Amino acid sequence: MYLDRRIKIQLVICAIIALVAGAIMIFGYMRLPATFFGIGRYTVTVQLPSSGGLYASGNVTYRGTEVGRVTDVHLNRSGVDAVLSLRSDVPIPSNLDAHVHSASSLGEVFIALAPRDATSAPLKNGDVIPTDRTSVAPDINSILAATNRGLQAIPHDNLKTVVDEGYTAVGGLGPDLARIERGSTALAIDARKNLDAWTTLIDQSAPVLDSQSDTADAIHGWAANLAAITRQLQTHDAAVGGVLEKGAPAASEARQLFERLQPTLPILLANLVSLNQVAVTYQPNIEQLLVLLPQEVQELQGAAVANVNTKQPLRGEYLDFNLGVNLPQPCTTGYLPAQQRRSPSLEDYPDLPAGKVYCRVPQDSKWLAVRGARNLPCETVPGKRAPTVKMCESDQQYVPLNDGSNWKGDPNATVTGQDIPQLPPEVPPAQPQNPTAGPPPPALAIADYDPATGNYIGPDGNLYTQSNLAQNAPKEKTWQSMLIPSTPN
């Protein structure tokens, strides 16, 4: 058969088109070389606890992109092996998880590869993904059957009510739900980017959860107390409402009060800080006082009604005029020397002498100032007693000046390392306010008296009579006569 040139050209063009189409069909669509010869592919085995509806020729995705297909699904001794044929041109990290998902309710099942670490080595031919890194989605048929059973158990009227209420709850909220969905997606993406931190948080949350479990009783107690407070607030709703209603005016008044006290309030607060420090230091003493105060009040009340329900006309405590003068005698050690003491008749008020003025006899003295400053307990140093805080805080121990009641030794002595109170040498002792009254009487005066009459000459040169010193004085003296002063003759 004779074919002209034009027909031959047409036949050649048709043959070329057929060859190109066949090549596209074989290599591009059917991928016969990869299917039969494995060219451009490598094989990976996924171990699954069950097939989950997975079948051969199912898709394999990585980050939502198709990267291969399932070539075979067969049983093994403990589950199912799925053989995957993956593309060699897409590197997939070997540190990953494999999840079996359903694309729809019609049963289209695929495997999704989710990497744990994008920097790990890529998968290679013959790798196996173990069961502990795989998961199978629930069977859609069982889910639908359970849903159907649940719907059948609900009365149709109630189900209609649920649907209507659901429509009322979410009707018209499409943009808001879409925004929530977009936010959830962004959150999931960020969580994927910070997967290591999330994993660490989950792994290390066990101690926190254990502490919550260990303190369950405390949490229950706190919840019970909160419920009690809530009930009290509910019971006193009117009072709480009054507080809320009048709270703003009261706060305004308080603010105005603080503004009026602004010049002196900082000083007061600073003093309270110092007082707080003292109170903290003396906390045990304050607690002891509070403990003993009721008993002391009880004893005073008992003494005040000593003769209650008796025939005595007086009520209350008994009065005793037996004066224990100089029993024991006063302590002068540690005070000003005798030549520097002021007369009791002076009425001015000079500055206190320098140094610490207190009785400086041994601490174990049983008669002189037993409760004096030398025996004050140190609050911050248990077991130590000292007259000053400085001595309490230091290693210095209290050293007495002498063991008697009178001043001994050099008045300017400082052998103990403690300052001895002294008047300034350039300041003379103060004089009486009235210079015309004559010189003041000496600090210590001694006079002889006549036992027969009770007469004696005082420091001023006048003759005085103390009648109760005479021999003929009555033996029994009244308290009025004891308070009557002596009169000059």
Side-chain angles (χ1 to χ4, degrees), residues 162-251:
V162 171
V163 174
D164 294 340
E165 293 297 330
Y167 173 76
T168 303
V170 299
L173 299 178
D176 297 330
L177 295 177
R179 185 166 59 253
I180 294 175
E181 190 275 334
R182 289 193 297 270
S184 302
T185 302
L187 178 62
I189 295 174
D190 292 340
R192 173 63 65 181
K193 292 179 181 179
N194 299 277
L195 184 61
D196 295 338
W198 279 103
T199 304
T200 303
L201 176 62
I202 294 173
D203 293 340
Q204 297 182 357
S205 62
V208 178
L209 298 178
D210 292 340
S211 64
Q212 297 298 316
S213 178
D214 296 338
T215 58
D217 296 338
I219 295 175
H220 291 164
W222 176 83
N225 295 334
L226 180 60
I229 294 174
T230 305
R231 287 194 298 269
Q232 291 294 329
L233 292 176
Q234 184 179 6
T235 304
H236 301 86
D237 181 69
V240 175
V243 171
L244 295 178
E245 180 180 357
K246 300 177 181 179

Coordinates of all heavy atoms in Angstrom, one line a residue, residues 162-251:
V162 N -32.4 18.6 73.3 CA -30.9 18.8 73.3 C -30.4 19.5 72.0 O -29.6 20.4 72.0 CB -30.2 17.4 73.4 CG1 -28.7 17.6 73.2 CG2 -30.5 16.9 74.8
V163 N -31.0 19.0 70.8 CA -30.6 19.6 69.6 C -31.0 21.1 69.5 O -30.3 22.0 69.1 CB -31.2 18.8 68.4 CG1 -31.0 19.5 67.1 CG2 -30.7 17.4 68.4
D164 N -32.2 21.4 70.0 CA -32.7 22.8 70.0 C -31.8 23.6 70.9 O -31.5 24.8 70.5 CB -34.2 22.8 70.4 CG -35.1 22.2 69.4 OD1 -34.6 22.0 68.2 OD2 -36.2 21.8 69.7
E165 N -31.5 23.1 72.1 CA -30.7 23.9 73.0 C -29.3 24.1 72.5 O -28.7 25.1 72.7 CB -30.7 23.2 74.4 CG -32.0 23.2 75.1 CD -32.5 24.6 75.5 OE1 -31.6 25.5 75.6 OE2 -33.7 24.8 75.5
G166 N -28.8 23.0 71.8 CA -27.5 23.1 71.2 C -27.5 24.2 70.1 O -26.5 25.0 70.0
Y167 N -28.6 24.3 69.3 CA -28.6 25.3 68.3 C -28.7 26.7 69.0 O -28.1 27.6 68.5 CB -29.9 25.1 67.4 CG -30.1 26.2 66.5 CD1 -29.3 26.3 65.3 CD2 -31.1 27.2 66.7 CE1 -29.6 27.4 64.4 CE2 -31.3 28.2 65.8 CZ -30.5 28.3 64.7 OH -30.8 29.4 63.8
T168 N -29.5 26.8 70.1 CA -29.6 28.0 70.8 C -28.2 28.4 71.3 O -27.8 29.6 71.4 CB -30.6 28.0 71.9 OG1 -31.9 27.6 71.3 CG2 -30.7 29.3 72.6
A169 N -27.4 27.5 71.8 CA -26.1 27.8 72.4 C -25.1 28.2 71.4 O -24.3 29.2 71.7 CB -25.6 26.5 73.2
V170 N -25.1 27.6 70.2 CA -24.0 27.9 69.3 C -24.5 28.5 68.0 O -23.7 28.9 67.1 CB -23.2 26.6 68.9 CG1 -22.6 26.0 70.1 CG2 -24.2 25.6 68.2
G171 N -25.8 28.8 67.9 CA -26.4 29.4 66.7 C -25.8 30.8 66.6 O -25.9 31.6 67.5
G172 N -25.4 31.2 65.4 CA -24.8 32.5 65.1 C -23.4 32.7 65.6 O -22.9 33.8 65.5
L173 N -22.8 31.7 66.2 CA -21.5 31.8 66.7 C -20.4 31.3 65.7 O -19.3 30.9 66.1 CB -21.3 31.1 68.0 CG -22.2 31.6 69.2 CD1 -22.0 30.8 70.4 CD2 -21.9 33.1 69.4
G174 N -20.8 31.2 64.5 CA -19.8 30.6 63.5 C -18.5 31.4 63.5 O -17.4 30.8 63.5
P175 N -18.5 32.7 63.4 CA -17.2 33.4 63.4 C -16.4 33.2 64.6 O -15.2 33.0 64.6 CB -17.6 34.9 63.2 CG -18.9 34.9 62.6 CD -19.6 33.6 63.1
D176 N -17.1 33.2 65.8 CA -16.4 32.9 67.0 C -15.8 31.5 67.1 O -14.7 31.3 67.5 CB -17.3 33.1 68.2 CG -17.8 34.6 68.3 OD1 -17.1 35.5 67.9 OD2 -19.0 34.8 68.8
L177 N -16.6 30.5 66.7 CA -16.1 29.2 66.7 C -14.9 29.0 65.7 O -14.0 28.3 66.0 CB -17.2 28.2 66.3 CG -18.4 28.1 67.3 CD1 -19.5 27.2 66.8 CD2 -17.9 27.6 68.7
A178 N -15.1 29.7 64.6 CA -14.0 29.7 63.6 C -12.7 30.3 64.2 O -11.6 29.8 64.0 CB -14.3 30.4 62.3
R179 N -12.9 31.4 65.0 CA -11.7 32.0 65.6 C -11.1 31.0 66.6 O -9.9 30.9 66.8 CB -12.1 33.3 66.2 CG -11.0 34.1 66.8 CD -11.3 35.5 67.2 NE -12.4 35.6 68.1 CZ -13.7 36.0 67.8 NH1 -14.0 36.2 66.5 NH2 -14.6 36.0 68.7
I180 N -12.0 30.4 67.4 CA -11.5 29.4 68.4 C -10.7 28.3 67.6 O -9.6 27.8 68.1 CB -12.6 28.8 69.2 CG1 -13.2 29.9 70.1 CG2 -12.2 27.6 70.1 CD1 -14.5 29.5 70.8
E181 N -11.3 27.8 66.5 CA -10.6 26.7 65.8 C -9.2 27.2 65.2 O -8.3 26.5 65.3 CB -11.5 26.3 64.6 CG -11.1 25.0 63.9 CD -10.1 25.3 62.8 OE1 -10.1 26.4 62.3 OE2 -9.3 24.4 62.5
R182 N -9.2 28.4 64.7 CA -7.9 28.9 64.2 C -6.9 29.1 65.4 O -5.7 28.8 65.2 CB -8.1 30.3 63.5 CG -8.8 30.2 62.2 CD -8.7 31.5 61.4 NE -9.4 32.6 62.1 CZ -10.7 32.9 61.9 NH1 -11.4 32.2 61.1 NH2 -11.2 33.9 62.6
G183 N -7.4 29.6 66.5 CA -6.5 29.7 67.7 C -6.0 28.4 68.1 O -4.8 28.2 68.5
S184 N -6.9 27.3 68.1 CA -6.5 26.0 68.5 C -5.4 25.5 67.6 O -4.5 24.8 68.0 CB -7.7 25.1 68.6 OG -8.6 25.6 69.5
T185 N -5.6 25.7 66.3 CA -4.7 25.3 65.3 C -3.3 25.9 65.5 O -2.3 25.3 65.5 CB -5.2 25.6 63.9 OG1 -6.5 24.9 63.7 CG2 -4.2 25.0 62.8
A186 N -3.3 27.3 65.7 CA -2.1 28.0 66.0 C -1.4 27.5 67.2 O -0.2 27.3 67.3 CB -2.3 29.5 66.1
L187 N -2.2 27.2 68.2 CA -1.7 26.6 69.5 C -1.0 25.3 69.2 O 0.0 25.0 69.8 CB -2.8 26.5 70.5 CG -2.4 25.9 71.9 CD1 -1.3 26.8 72.5 CD2 -3.6 25.8 72.8
A188 N -1.7 24.4 68.4 CA -1.1 23.1 68.1 C 0.2 23.2 67.4 O 1.1 22.5 67.6 CB -2.2 22.3 67.4
I189 N 0.2 24.2 66.4 CA 1.4 24.4 65.7 C 2.6 24.8 66.6 O 3.7 24.3 66.5 CB 1.2 25.4 64.5 CG1 0.2 24.8 63.5 CG2 2.5 25.7 63.8 CD1 -0.2 25.7 62.4
D190 N 2.3 25.8 67.4 CA 3.3 26.3 68.4 C 3.7 25.1 69.3 O 4.9 25.0 69.7 CB 2.8 27.5 69.2 CG 2.6 28.7 68.3 OD1 3.2 28.7 67.2 OD2 1.8 29.6 68.7
A191 N 2.8 24.3 69.7 CA 3.1 23.2 70.6 C 4.0 22.2 69.9 O 5.0 21.6 70.5 CB 1.9 22.5 71.1
R192 N 3.8 22.0 68.6 CA 4.6 21.1 67.8 C 6.1 21.7 67.7 O 7.0 21.0 67.8 CB 4.0 21.0 66.4 CG 4.9 20.2 65.4 CD 5.2 18.8 65.9 NE 4.0 18.0 65.9 CZ 3.9 16.7 66.3 NH1 5.0 16.1 66.7 NH2 2.8 16.1 66.3
K193 N 6.2 23.0 67.6 CA 7.5 23.7 67.5 C 8.2 23.5 68.8 O 9.5 23.5 68.8 CB 7.3 25.1 67.1 CG 6.8 25.3 65.7 CD 6.7 26.8 65.4 CE 6.2 27.1 63.9 NZ 6.0 28.5 63.6
N194 N 7.5 23.5 69.9 CA 8.1 23.4 71.2 C 7.8 22.1 71.8 O 7.5 22.0 73.0 CB 7.6 24.5 72.2 CG 7.9 25.9 71.6 OD1 9.0 26.4 71.8 ND2 7.0 26.5 70.9
L195 N 7.9 21.0 71.0 CA 7.6 19.7 71.5 C 8.5 19.2 72.6 O 8.0 18.6 73.6 CB 7.7 18.7 70.3 CG 7.2 17.3 70.6 CD1 5.8 17.2 71.0 CD2 7.5 16.4 69.3
D196 N 9.8 19.5 72.5 CA 10.7 19.1 73.6 C 10.3 19.7 74.9 O 10.3 19.0 76.0 CB 12.1 19.4 73.2 CG 12.6 18.7 72.0 OD1 12.0 17.6 71.7 OD2 13.5 19.1 71.4
A197 N 10.0 21.0 74.9 CA 9.6 21.6 76.2 C 8.3 21.1 76.7 O 8.2 20.8 78.0 CB 9.4 23.2 75.9
W198 N 7.3 20.8 75.8 CA 6.1 20.2 76.3 C 6.3 18.8 76.9 O 5.7 18.4 77.9 CB 5.1 20.1 75.1 CG 4.3 21.4 74.9 CD1 4.6 22.3 73.9 CD2 3.3 21.9 75.6 NE1 3.7 23.4 74.0 CE2 2.9 23.2 75.0 CE3 2.6 21.5 76.7 CZ2 1.9 23.9 75.5 CZ3 1.5 22.3 77.2 CH2 1.2 23.5 76.6
T199 N 7.2 18.0 76.2 CA 7.5 16.7 76.7 C 8.1 16.7 78.0 O 7.8 16.0 79.0 CB 8.4 16.0 75.7 OG1 7.8 16.0 74.4 CG2 8.6 14.5 76.1
T200 N 9.1 17.7 78.2 CA 9.7 17.8 79.5 C 8.7 18.2 80.6 O 8.7 17.7 81.7 CB 10.8 18.9 79.4 OG1 11.8 18.5 78.4 CG2 11.6 19.0 80.7
L201 N 7.8 19.1 80.2 CA 6.8 19.6 81.2 C 5.9 18.4 81.6 O 5.6 18.2 82.8 CB 5.9 20.7 80.6 CG 4.8 21.2 81.4 CD1 5.3 21.8 82.7 CD2 3.9 22.2 80.6
I202 N 5.5 17.6 80.7 CA 4.6 16.4 81.0 C 5.4 15.4 81.8 O 4.9 14.9 82.8 CB 4.1 15.8 79.7 CG1 3.2 16.8 79.0 CG2 3.3 14.5 80.0 CD1 2.7 16.4 77.6
D203 N 6.7 15.2 81.5 CA 7.4 14.2 82.2 C 7.7 14.6 83.6 O 7.7 13.8 84.5 CB 8.8 13.9 81.5 CG 8.5 13.2 80.1 OD1 7.4 12.6 79.9 OD2 9.4 13.3 79.2
Q204 N 7.9 15.9 83.8 CA 8.3 16.4 85.1 C 7.1 16.9 85.9 O 7.2 17.5 87.0 CB 9.3 17.6 85.0 CG 10.6 17.1 84.4 CD 11.6 18.3 84.3 OE1 11.3 19.4 84.7 NE2 12.8 18.0 83.8
S205 N 5.9 16.7 85.4 CA 4.7 17.1 86.2 C 4.3 16.1 87.3 O 3.4 16.4 88.1 CB 3.5 17.3 85.2 OG 3.2 16.0 84.6
A206 N 4.9 14.9 87.2 CA 4.6 13.9 88.2 C 4.8 14.3 89.7 O 4.0 14.2 90.5 CB 5.4 12.6 87.9
P207 N 6.0 15.0 90.0 CA 6.2 15.5 91.4 C 5.1 16.5 91.8 O 4.6 16.4 92.9 CB 7.6 16.1 91.4 CG 8.3 15.4 90.2 CD 7.2 15.2 89.2
V208 N 4.7 17.4 90.9 CA 3.6 18.3 91.2 C 2.3 17.6 91.5 O 1.6 17.9 92.5 CB 3.5 19.4 90.1 CG1 2.4 20.4 90.4 CG2 4.8 20.1 89.9
L209 N 2.0 16.7 90.6 CA 0.7 15.9 90.9 C 0.8 15.1 92.1 O -0.2 15.0 92.9 CB 0.5 15.0 89.6 CG 0.3 15.8 88.3 CD1 0.1 14.8 87.2 CD2 -0.9 16.7 88.4
D210 N 2.0 14.5 92.4 CA 2.1 13.8 93.7 C 1.9 14.7 94.9 O 1.3 14.3 95.9 CB 3.5 13.1 93.7 CG 3.6 12.0 92.7 OD1 2.6 11.5 92.2 OD2 4.8 11.7 92.3
S211 N 2.5 15.9 94.8 CA 2.3 16.8 95.9 C 0.8 17.2 96.1 O 0.4 17.3 97.3 CB 3.1 18.1 95.7 OG 2.7 18.8 94.6
Q212 N 0.1 17.3 95.0 CA -1.3 17.6 95.1 C -2.1 16.4 95.7 O -3.0 16.6 96.5 CB -1.9 17.9 93.7 CG -1.3 19.2 93.1 CD -1.6 20.4 93.9 OE1 -2.8 20.6 94.3 NE2 -0.6 21.2 94.0
S213 N -1.6 15.2 95.4 CA -2.2 14.0 95.9 C -1.9 13.9 97.4 O -2.8 13.6 98.2 CB -1.8 12.8 95.2 OG -2.3 11.6 95.8
D214 N -0.7 14.3 97.8 CA -0.3 14.2 99.2 C -1.0 15.2 100.1 O -1.2 15.0 101.3 CB 1.2 14.3 99.4 CG 2.0 13.2 98.7 OD1 1.4 12.1 98.5 OD2 3.2 13.4 98.3
T215 N -1.3 16.3 99.5 CA -2.0 17.4 100.2 C -3.5 17.4 100.0 O -4.1 18.4 100.1 CB -1.4 18.8 99.9 OG1 -1.5 19.0 98.5 CG2 0.1 18.8 100.2
A216 N -4.0 16.2 99.6 CA -5.5 16.2 99.3 C -6.3 16.5 100.5 O -7.3 17.2 100.5 CB -5.8 14.8 98.8
D217 N -5.9 16.0 101.7 CA -6.6 16.4 103.0 C -6.6 17.9 103.2 O -7.7 18.4 103.6 CB -6.0 15.6 104.1 CG -6.1 14.1 104.0 OD1 -7.0 13.7 103.2 OD2 -5.4 13.4 104.6
A218 N -5.5 18.5 103.0 CA -5.4 20.0 103.2 C -6.3 20.7 102.2 O -7.0 21.7 102.6 CB -3.9 20.4 103.1
I219 N -6.3 20.2 101.0 CA -7.2 20.8 100.0 C -8.6 20.7 100.3 O -9.4 21.6 100.2 CB -6.8 20.3 98.6 CG1 -5.4 20.6 98.2 CG2 -7.8 20.8 97.6 CD1 -4.9 20.0 96.9
H220 N -9.0 19.5 100.8 CA -10.4 19.2 101.2 C -10.7 20.1 102.4 O -11.8 20.7 102.5 CB -10.5 17.8 101.6 CG -10.5 16.8 100.5 ND1 -10.3 15.5 100.6 CD2 -10.5 17.1 99.1 CE1 -10.2 14.9 99.4 NE2 -10.3 15.9 98.5
G221 N -9.8 20.3 103.4 CA -10.1 21.2 104.5 C -10.2 22.6 104.1 O -11.1 23.3 104.5
W222 N -9.4 23.0 103.1 CA -9.5 24.4 102.6 C -10.8 24.6 101.9 O -11.5 25.6 102.0 CB -8.3 24.7 101.6 CG -8.4 26.0 101.0 CD1 -8.0 27.2 101.5 CD2 -8.9 26.3 99.6 NE1 -8.2 28.2 100.5 CE2 -8.8 27.7 99.4 CE3 -9.5 25.5 98.6 CZ2 -9.2 28.3 98.2 CZ3 -9.9 26.1 97.5 CH2 -9.8 27.4 97.3
A223 N -11.2 23.6 101.1 CA -12.5 23.7 100.4 C -13.7 23.7 101.4 O -14.6 24.5 101.2 CB -12.7 22.5 99.5
A224 N -13.6 22.9 102.5 CA -14.6 23.0 103.5 C -14.7 24.3 104.2 O -15.8 24.9 104.4 CB -14.4 21.8 104.5
N225 N -13.5 24.9 104.5 CA -13.5 26.2 105.2 C -14.0 27.3 104.2 O -14.7 28.2 104.6 CB -12.0 26.6 105.6 CG -11.5 25.6 106.6 OD1 -12.3 25.1 107.4 ND2 -10.2 25.5 106.7
L226 N -13.7 27.1 102.9 CA -14.2 28.1 102.0 C -15.7 28.0 101.9 O -16.4 29.0 101.8 CB -13.6 27.8 100.6 CG -14.0 28.8 99.4 CD1 -13.7 30.2 99.8 CD2 -13.4 28.4 98.1
A227 N -16.2 26.8 101.9 CA -17.7 26.6 101.9 C -18.3 27.2 103.1 O -19.4 27.8 103.1 CB -18.0 25.1 101.8
A228 N -17.7 27.0 104.3 CA -18.2 27.6 105.5 C -18.2 29.1 105.4 O -19.2 29.8 105.8 CB -17.4 27.2 106.7
I229 N -17.2 29.7 104.9 CA -17.1 31.2 104.7 C -18.2 31.6 103.8 O -18.9 32.7 104.0 CB -15.7 31.6 104.3 CG1 -14.7 31.3 105.3 CG2 -15.7 33.1 103.9 CD1 -13.3 31.6 104.9
T230 N -18.4 30.9 102.7 CA -19.4 31.2 101.7 C -20.8 31.2 102.4 O -21.6 32.1 102.1 CB -19.4 30.3 100.5 OG1 -18.0 30.3 100.0 CG2 -20.3 30.7 99.5
R231 N -21.1 30.2 103.2 CA -22.3 30.1 103.9 C -22.5 31.3 104.8 O -23.6 31.8 105.0 CB -22.5 28.8 104.6 CG -22.7 27.6 103.7 CD -23.1 26.4 104.5 NE -22.1 26.0 105.5 CZ -21.2 25.1 105.2 NH1 -21.1 24.5 104.0 NH2 -20.3 24.8 106.1
Q232 N -21.5 31.6 105.6 CA -21.6 32.8 106.5 C -21.8 34.1 105.7 O -22.6 34.9 106.1 CB -20.2 32.9 107.2 CG -20.0 31.8 108.3 CD -21.0 31.8 109.4 OE1 -21.5 32.9 109.8 NE2 -21.3 30.7 109.9
L233 N -21.2 34.2 104.5 CA -21.4 35.4 103.7 C -22.9 35.4 103.2 O -23.5 36.5 103.2 CB -20.5 35.5 102.5 CG -19.0 35.7 102.9 CD1 -18.1 35.7 101.6 CD2 -18.8 37.1 103.6
Q234 N -23.4 34.2 102.9 CA -24.8 34.2 102.4 C -25.7 34.5 103.6 O -26.7 35.2 103.4 CB -25.0 32.8 101.9 CG -26.5 32.6 101.3 CD -26.7 31.2 100.7 OE1 -25.8 30.4 100.8 NE2 -27.8 31.0 100.0
T235 N -25.4 34.0 104.8 CA -26.3 34.2 105.9 C -26.3 35.7 106.3 O -27.3 36.3 106.6 CB -25.8 33.4 107.1 OG1 -25.8 32.0 106.7 CG2 -26.7 33.6 108.3
H236 N -25.1 36.3 106.2 CA -25.0 37.8 106.6 C -24.9 38.6 105.3 O -24.1 39.5 105.2 CB -23.8 38.0 107.5 CG -23.8 37.2 108.7 ND1 -23.3 35.9 108.8 CD2 -24.2 37.5 110.0 CE1 -23.4 35.4 110.0 NE2 -24.0 36.4 110.8
D237 N -25.8 38.3 104.4 CA -25.8 39.0 103.1 C -26.0 40.5 103.3 O -25.4 41.4 102.7 CB -26.8 38.4 102.2 CG -26.8 39.1 100.8 OD1 -25.8 38.9 100.1 OD2 -27.8 39.8 100.5
A238 N -27.0 40.8 104.2 CA -27.3 42.3 104.4 C -26.1 43.0 105.0 O -25.8 44.1 104.6 CB -28.5 42.4 105.4
A239 N -25.4 42.4 106.0 CA -24.2 43.0 106.6 C -23.1 43.2 105.5 O -22.5 44.3 105.5 CB -23.7 42.2 107.8
V240 N -22.9 42.2 104.7 CA -21.9 42.3 103.7 C -22.3 43.4 102.7 O -21.4 44.2 102.2 CB -21.7 40.9 103.0 CG1 -20.7 41.1 101.8 CG2 -21.2 39.9 103.9
G241 N -23.6 43.4 102.3 CA -24.0 44.5 101.5 C -23.8 45.9 102.1 O -23.4 46.8 101.4
G242 N -24.0 46.0 103.4 CA -23.8 47.3 104.1 C -22.3 47.6 104.0 O -22.0 48.8 103.8
V243 N -21.4 46.6 104.2 CA -20.0 46.9 104.2 C -19.6 47.4 102.8 O -18.9 48.4 102.6 CB -19.2 45.7 104.6 CG1 -17.7 45.9 104.3 CG2 -19.4 45.3 106.0
L244 N -20.1 46.7 101.8 CA -19.8 47.2 100.4 C -20.4 48.5 100.1 O -19.8 49.3 99.3 CB -20.4 46.1 99.4 CG -19.7 44.7 99.5 CD1 -20.4 43.8 98.5 CD2 -18.2 44.8 99.3
E245 N -21.6 48.8 100.6 CA -22.2 50.1 100.3 C -21.5 51.2 101.1 O -21.3 52.3 100.5 CB -23.7 50.0 100.7 CG -24.4 51.3 100.5 CD -25.9 51.2 100.9 OE1 -26.3 50.1 101.3 OE2 -26.6 52.2 100.8
K246 N -21.1 51.0 102.3 CA -20.5 52.0 103.1 C -18.9 52.0 103.1 O -18.3 52.8 103.8 CB -21.0 51.9 104.5 CG -22.5 52.1 104.7 CD -22.9 51.9 106.1 CE -24.4 52.1 106.3 NZ -24.9 51.9 107.7
G247 N -18.4 51.0 102.3 CA -17.0 50.9 102.3 C -16.3 52.0 101.6 O -15.2 52.5 102.1
A248 N -16.9 52.5 100.5 CA -16.2 53.6 99.8 C -16.2 54.9 100.7 O -15.1 55.5 100.8 CB -17.0 53.9 98.5
P249 N -17.3 55.3 101.3 CA -17.2 56.5 102.2 C -16.2 56.3 103.3 O -15.5 57.2 103.7 CB -18.7 56.7 102.7 CG -19.5 56.0 101.7 CD -18.7 54.9 101.2
A250 N -16.2 55.1 103.9 CA -15.3 54.8 105.0 C -13.8 54.9 104.5 O -13.0 55.5 105.2 CB -15.5 53.5 105.6
A251 N -13.6 54.4 103.3 CA -12.2 54.5 102.8 C -11.9 55.9 102.5 O -10.7 56.3 102.7 CB -12.1 53.7 101.5

